[in-house]
Amino acid sequence: MTHEWETPGLTGENRLRAHADLTAFGDRASAALGRREDGRGFVPLSGTWDFALFDSPSRVSPDLLGPLAPERRWEQVAVPHVWQADGFGQWQYTDESYPFLVDPPHVPALNPTAVYRREVDFDALAPGDRRILRFDGVETYFEVWVNGVRIGSSKGSRIPAEFDITDAAVPGGNLIAVEVLQYADSTYLEDQDMWWSGGIIRDVYSFTRPELHVEDVVVDTSMDDRGAAVLECSVRLSRAEADLAWRVEEPSGSVIASGSEPAVDGSVRLRRRLDDVAWWHPEHPVLHRLVLEVHDATGGTTEIVPVRVGFRDVRIEDGVLLLNRRYIELHGVNRHDFDPDRGRAVPLERVREDLLLMKHFNINAVRTSHYPNDPRFYDLCDELGIMVVAETDLETHGMALVGDIAALSDDPGWTAAYVDRIDRHVRQIRNHPSVLVWSLGNESGWGRNFRAMYEHCKELDPRRPVLYEEDRDAGTVDIVSTMYSRVSQMDDLGSHPHPKPRFVVEYAHAMGNGPGGLADYQAVFDRYDGIQGHFVWEWCDQAVRAVRTDGSAEFLYGGDFGDRPNNGSFCVDGLVLPWLEPSPGLVEYGQVICPVRVGDGHDGSLVVTNRRYDSTLSGLALEVVDSRDGVAQRRCLVHAGGVAPRSTARIALEGWRDAGGRGASGPLERTVRVVVEQGTLWWAPGDVIGRYQFAIDPLSADAARGGECDSPAASLPVAARGRRTPPTVVERGRDGVEISAGGRTWTFDPVTGRLAGASIEGRPVIARGPRVRVWKPPIDNHARLAEEEWRPALLDLFREDARSVTWRSEGPDAIVEADVVVGPPGRAYGLRCHYGWVISDEGAARLDLTAIPFGGYTGTVPARGLDLEIPSRYRNVSYLGLGPGENYPDSRAAAVRGVYRSDVASLQTPYLVPQDHGARCATSWVRHTDDAGAGLLIVSEPACVWSTWTWTGEQIERARHLDELPSASAAFTVNLDQAVLGLGSNSWGAEVSETYRTRLEAFRMSLRLVLDEGASPREGGRP
């Protein structure tokens, strides 16, 4: 028996032909407001539905779809939803694999199938009116029934489907029933990297159309050689004879063009040239309105259809993509439709928050990976100014696992299914100015079906360019694109320009702590005009929030639901955490694509580059602060508005004000913050959208790079000194060696030579002394290194073994020295280390560490340095280093050197899979204190990479979910590293660049540790 849901050539039954998203109104007042809910005969059908889930469509009785259904207990669900989010069926996450035996077009007989039922009242229709039922998205195959009459069916989960239900609906009460199958032949074309789920995922509603109505509208705009706008519009009407009145309105409502055209065989075409229009651009997304009024033979108005129009011109000339005949670059992200509570049934407000956050961090483009979005998504992109690479709902990635990713893409039996998807996609959203580029799909190989898609796309929309990454050299499509090309590869591609524009549609895999290397990528993108689009993978972590009975939440990923096969936490790979908290990676990305670049003019001025493409820097200012060791000396504010697009200018620094910094003598650094003066929907006045820092005297070159600092900072907190008393050395046998001075006591283990602890008047300040280590809990981007190189080399088992330990008094100081070897069991490599401790008569300690490698290990290591533990009451932190946020060697463009204050809890980055986090590079000193101001001051010479964790490294590494970490800890772990490995993005993508690799090499560290009774630090201004 052949089922409709296993027939690729049948993409739907009785479904109306796709058309532009239109809302028709019955009067001008409603049309002026333009709200969907005010449209003719609009009836919202989202909300509560009766629901039942079966394990197979074969178990669904036809009676359940009609008004005479037998008595049964129905569940209640709120549509839109995915039923897994409501506790029905099972979540499953795979990156590539289909969730069932691969045998296209067949799917399992045990195929989760839901029945939805809802009663709704409809008003009586006016003569000639038709009632339409619309579904904006249903996963995966569905059939529609009204009052027991089968209306039709549809495939294509993320593409709207409309049905004419006029003949089945009646005035008054009606029963609408929908049967939804999770799997169908179309599932073979929807194998995107995401959760498998089922349900009515987007809005459902009904509306009416008069007998004479607009069936479709196609709007196209362009710029002629004199810079005027050309508006072309094609309108298809439901009847051959009619008149169409039209007008074009500015945002203010002023009419700039109007007319009336008679229909010819049901079609109206108009072409008008308009001077001096405001153009749509992501930097100023001006939207006009084209208002269409349909008049019948009597002159009466049957409906009014407003269409938002953004005047913009998209073309490729000489291998360059142009917007409004000017160069443009798309600084983008890949965005899946996902909400932690509702899966792909994403509330519109969440979509809006996503887009506003993108704009806040300077992102101007989004690739709708890997399917069309809610129709209102494109409205928001039009309004906010976000360019869209509109991707078709098509991916057959799982076919690669059975030998041929292109098996369906080159099979003529699937051509209709492929073409249907691009047809409906283009017809629906081609009027949106934000849609700049079409994408034929993702990771499906290449074959005849993609050529057919391209040709059909060009028939529907000749002007917009088309891309598809697996047309490797763009032999057919208009834009050549790659995925996960390394920096060196992109540099090579840029230096050998392709005749067509180039995009990298996925790069910088943002899984866990990362991605690293964004600044290196951006330097290449900026170097070559031929590279015009880049899209970080991906926008947000796709984790499912599970709320416990006590109200606490855990975030789950593949395998947490007993789902097999699964790809684990590979879905947790976003720039944004599930609750929309920006990750450090997003902060870094926002910096490298900042629209303003600032450098030192070396003559008391700033060199300012406007990286915008069509507007000045109006509304932005530059806040300039000169500092020494984080202590602000003077500051001024200058305006950058006059710099023209894509140009550079010098701006003189004037109006300096004394910042009050006194006593600082370190090198002078200039910090420039790009601040918002005029607020927008995504920026508030005072928001910082970019940061730059550079040396302005020769001594500060290292500091400007965030590198090592050769002397203690002048902003160093002033710790209360201990009483000057000669150190007393007390040997307590096996219990340790105690050295006391100035009310401080330092206890050493006589066997290992390690500092066992330190206290003030018996109050512990150091719970465990520093120890050399090269291991840290691996980040996702280092998982391959950890499994293939580090764990086989037993780097996680490096342990110290003392060779000699001595102690003595020497003048006013006490000396403890230990020679130790650090290495793994069963191997003959590691580090030979010398700890040299000096305890002064004030009770402060200095540690000089040298480490020399031995043996044959020459690979990378996560870090080279020390860690120690302090009691958790010392939760307040101040430091001089790079900040304010987390930063690593290949991810610190957004960080500037200064004095920062925080608390330990705020230093933790809540990656859903616990891993190394929280580093601050170029840290010269860090001070931990309790609420009374007592604690520990650590000064590092040269500067180090510092982090403090709430947990131990072992606890972090053992936990697979954030909620598995202890809620409280008796001690904090303080990490002081001479070097740490860069992040890279090799969870899927680029390895750590050689520049940022850390190996088992010789190193030295010098630390001064001061046990502080509680003194106020010298105030350092914000740098």
Side-chain angles (χ1 to χ4, degrees), residues 1 179 194 229 246 361 466 472 493 574 588 612 696 703 708 791 808 894 958 986 1000 1004:
M1 179 179 179
E179 183 180 9
M194 59 189 186
W246 62 272
F361 283 97
V466 178
R472 300 296 190 194
L493 293 170
E588 180 80 357
R612 289 175 170 171
I696 54 175
E708 299 177 351
R791 292 190 196 279
R808 66 185 184 277
R958 196 161 48 241
N986 200 28
L1000 197 65
R1004 296 174 180 271

Side-chain angles (χ1 to χ4, degrees), residues 708-910:
E708 299 177 351
C709 206
D710 291 332
S711 60
S715 56
L716 195 63
V718 179
R721 294 185 175 183
R723 302 178 302 277
R724 284 188 177 275
T725 58
T728 302
V729 178
V730 178
E731 299 180 22
R732 300 191 181 278
R734 295 174 182 174
D735 293 333
V737 177
E738 290 184 357
I739 301 175
S740 301
R744 280 77 169 157
T745 300
W746 301 80
T747 303
F748 292 86
D749 186 314
V751 176
T752 65
R754 184 182 299 161
L755 177 68
S759 60
I760 303 176
E761 305 294 350
R763 186 173 67 251
V765 178
I766 297 176
R768 175 183 59 76
R771 64 180 180 189
V772 170
R773 53 102 186 92
V774 297
W775 185 256
K776 281 195 168 184
I779 67 171
D780 288 323
N781 284 314
H782 297 164
R784 295 185 191 184
L785 274 173
E787 295 309 312
E788 296 172 9
E789 181 176 335
W790 297 344
R791 292 190 196 279
L794 305 184
L795 298 191
D796 54 330
L797 298 182
F798 267 46
R799 299 291 184 266
E800 288 189 350
D801 187 17
R803 292 293 182 261
S804 70
V805 180
T806 62
W807 55 91
R808 66 185 184 277
S809 295
E810 192 173 285
D813 303 323
I815 311 295
V816 177
E817 294 184 292
D819 289 310
V820 303
V821 229
V822 184
R827 302 292 189 271
Y829 50 75
L831 295 166
R832 302 190 192 280
C833 301
H834 177 79
Y835 289 85
W837 289 93
V838 178
I839 314 299
S840 72
D841 57 3
E842 291 180 332
R846 181 180 184 91
L847 168 63
D848 291 305
L849 170 73
T850 60
I852 307 296
F854 67 92
Y857 184 78
T858 58
T860 60
V861 295
R864 296 192 301 261
L866 302 157
D867 63 17
L868 60 116
E869 292 181 0
I870 61 174
S872 58
R873 68 172 172 272
Y874 301 114
R875 62 186 184 87
N876 304 305
V877 180
S878 57
Y879 74 98
L880 170 61
L882 289 183
E886 173 182 292
N887 53 87
Y888 283 78
D890 59 348
S891 183
R892 60 186 195 181
V896 294
R897 191 166 179 268
V899 175
Y900 299 96
R901 293 171 179 81
S902 185
D903 58 77
V904 172
S906 299
L907 296 173
Q908 313 308 303
T909 305

Side-chain angles (χ1 to χ4, degrees), residues 260-503:
S260 181
E261 312 290 337
V264 177
D265 293 331
S267 294
V268 175
R269 296 181 182 274
L270 63 93
R271 187 179 191 275
R272 291 293 186 275
R273 183 178 182 276
L274 303 173
D275 292 311
D276 301 321
V277 301
W279 292 85
W280 186 95
H281 192 279
E283 294 163 8
H284 42 79
V286 179
L287 292 172
H288 294 70
R289 289 207 327 159
L290 171 64
V291 182
L292 307 174
E293 294 189 2
V294 183
H295 297 156
D296 60 18
T298 69
T301 301
T302 64
E303 68 176 11
I304 303 169
V305 177
V307 181
R308 294 203 301 187
V309 176
F311 285 96
R312 59 106 182 90
D313 180 294
V314 180
R315 65 180 67 193
I316 293 174
E317 289 184 353
D318 300 323
V320 177
L321 177 66
L322 303 177
L323 177 61
N324 303 337
R325 295 203 170 193
R326 292 188 178 185
Y327 182 86
I328 189 70
E329 187 173 343
L330 285 73
H331 306 296
V333 291
N334 286 274
R335 178 186 176 275
H336 264 294
D337 236 2
F338 196 80
D339 177 87
D341 302 310
R342 302 188 63 80
R344 270 187 298 286
V346 183
L348 185 63
E349 187 51 41
R350 166 81 182 213
V351 176
R352 183 179 176 83
E353 289 174 354
D354 278 353
L355 297 178
L356 288 172
L357 197 57
M358 290 179 195
K359 291 287 287 189
H360 182 86
F361 283 97
N362 304 317
I363 292 164
N364 68 7
V366 61
R367 176 180 177 230
T368 60
S369 51
H370 300 291
Y371 40 80
N373 278 216
D374 185 300
R376 296 168 295 176
F377 166 89
Y378 305 96
D379 291 333
L380 290 171
C381 290
D382 293 344
E383 295 168 13
L384 299 176
I386 295 181
M387 297 176 284
V388 177
V389 174
E391 191 140 286
T392 310
D393 193 357
L394 205 158
E395 180 170 341
T396 67
H397 205 162
M399 298 304 296
L401 300 180
V402 295
D404 184 3
I405 193 173
L408 304 182
S409 300
D410 204 37
D411 184 341
W414 290 77
T415 302
Y418 276 63
V419 173
D420 174 74
R421 288 170 180 259
I422 191 69
D423 176 87
R424 293 160 63 193
H425 185 35
V426 172
R427 290 180 189 274
Q428 176 203 341
I429 64 171
R430 60 184 164 184
N431 292 338
H432 287 275
S434 57
V435 177
L436 256 65
V437 178
W438 299 113
S439 169
L440 300 180
N442 187 63
E443 294 179 320
S444 302
W446 180 250
R448 71 186 72 198
N449 295 337
F450 279 109
R451 283 189 287 272
M453 289 177 72
Y454 175 83
E455 291 166 2
H456 188 65
C457 182
K458 283 300 187 179
E459 290 173 5
L460 296 174
D461 185 4
R463 195 180 299 275
R464 279 188 185 90
V466 178
L467 67 76
Y468 175 58
E469 184 265 340
E470 298 216 9
D471 182 2
R472 300 296 190 194
D473 199 41
T476 298
V477 299
D478 308 308
I479 294 173
V480 62
S481 55
T482 59
M483 289 183 179
Y484 302 105
S485 304
R486 277 51 171 175
V487 172
S488 58
Q489 292 172 315
M490 292 307 303
D491 189 60
D492 183 60
L493 293 170
S495 63
H496 299 87
H498 195 278
K500 298 179 179 181
R502 180 177 294 279
F503 283 15

Side-chain angles (χ1 to χ4, degrees), residues 511-513 569 572 778-784 913 915 960 986-987:
M511 188 173 178
N513 189 346
S569 62
V572 182
I779 67 171
D780 288 323
N781 284 314
H782 297 164
R784 295 185 191 184
V913 178
Q915 55 199 278
R960 300 306 302 150
N986 200 28
S987 50

